[in-house]
Amino acid sequence: MLTTRFVTGSPIWVDLGTPDLDGAREFYRALFGWEFAPAGPGAGGYGMFTRRGGTVAGGMTIPPEQGGSAWTLYFRSPDAEAAATAVRAGGGSVTVDPVDVLDLGRMALFRDPTGADFGVWQPGANRGLDVVGESGTLCWTELYTPDPVADLSFYDMVFGMEAHTAAGPAGGAYTLLRPSGTGQEPPGDAFGAVVPLAGDPSEAAGGPSWTPYFRVDDLDAVVAEAERSGGKVRRGPSDLADLGRRAKLTDPYGARFAVLCGGRGA
């Protein structure tokens, strides 16, 4: 599971782009107990979701003409420019060139060769999320792709990610991802997995993507609250290997995410 021992290639940040930030704030407060604080002048309306005083995500308003509502996952990079060069060399594309974010760090947005969007964060004053792996915070992620082999090669080239095969749901294989050279035996430091897009109808309609998982204490209660608050259930509660029970949701504005309860790291 995720930790805040951020190394190159590990998830370090996640943020929400939404056409209705006020509505999203209320939705995620009801689900996870999050509060929201604007980042202040010069941040372009960007702000931080917090839980018990620790930053757990970012958020901003996205005009409809700039695309639909979505969660974006960022990986740690010591050099955003070098990451952009590697992305292009690996067959991906740069959708937002590396740029400084005040004195907080440097970011860039990319698209992998199969179409999944992601970003990098080169830390400055902001080293990354304050809390992960706990209730109401980012704990896991899955890459849904039509070509797992091509994407595994791409992310290894860009970040040095390592892949390890483990037992998956319904007896199938589950390809775990971890940063390179972390020194632990797999899957102890795995942060996510690569899943064939065609293998999950709940993801196929949305196309290639990184899906963030947030840990919860009561899966059924969170699923019910999501529906009550205007969200939708894309896939009801089910087992996810030995990680616990999960459900896949969509917020009222179309952002797709998942929740996970129990299992390793609980």
Side-chain angles (χ1 to χ4, degrees):
M1 286 292 182
L2 293 180
T3 73
T4 54
R5 187 176 64 88
F6 300 126
V7 297
T8 297
S10 63
I12 190 172
W13 194 259
V14 65
D15 64 18
L16 173 70
T18 178
D20 187 344
L21 186 55
D22 289 338
R25 289 165 61 174
E26 294 304 314
F27 176 80
Y28 290 102
R29 177 186 289 119
L31 242 60
F32 303 135
W34 289 357
E35 300 297 332
F36 185 83
Y46 196 92
M48 310 298 180
F49 288 105
T50 65
R51 189 173 190 273
R52 297 177 180 171
T55 301
V56 296
M60 59 187 165
T61 301
I62 296 293
E65 62 271 17
Q66 292 187 14
S69 181
W71 282 99
T72 300
L73 188 69
Y74 296 75
F75 298 92
R76 187 189 186 283
S77 173
D79 187 334
E81 293 285 356
T85 298
V87 165
R88 292 188 181 99
S93 58
V94 178
T95 56
V96 175
D97 287 317
V99 61
D100 289 327
V101 182
L102 304 176
D103 66 341
L104 301 176
R106 193 163 174 80
M107 62 82 67
L109 294 176
F110 306 128
R111 183 165 292 151
D112 75 20
T114 70
D117 292 319
F118 68 101
V120 297
W121 181 251
Q122 178 183 333
N126 184 339
R127 64 176 297 275
L129 298 174
D130 290 331
V131 190
V132 299
E134 299 179 5
S135 181
T137 72
L138 184 70
C139 69
W140 190 250
T141 186
E142 288 178 326
L143 171 62
Y144 286 85
T145 171
D147 192 341
V149 173
D151 261 347
L152 285 169
S153 177
F154 170 79
Y155 287 101
D156 179 41
M157 178 178 178
V158 175
F159 297 115
M161 288 183 188
E162 297 179 358
H164 301 273
T165 301
Y174 195 50
T175 303
L176 301 177
L177 290 172
R178 69 171 188 168
S180 177
T182 50
Q184 295 188 37
E185 290 297 319
D189 50 2
F191 61 76
V194 177
V195 183
L197 186 61
D200 191 332
S202 68
E203 299 289 348
S209 65
W210 283 94
T211 296
Y213 278 71
F214 300 99
R215 182 170 288 285
V216 297
D217 294 326
D218 187 332
L219 187 73
D220 296 319
V222 168
V223 169
E225 181 59 48
E227 291 187 294
R228 189 162 48 243
S229 297
K232 296 180 180 178
V233 178
R234 295 184 288 121
R235 180 172 180 172
S238 61
D239 292 334
L240 180 59
D242 66 340
L243 298 175
R245 294 177 69 232
R246 55 98 178 266
K248 296 185 176 182
L249 309 174
T250 304
D251 76 15
Y253 312 101
R256 300 154 68 87
F257 65 102
V259 289
L260 181 67
C261 178
R264 185 163 18 92

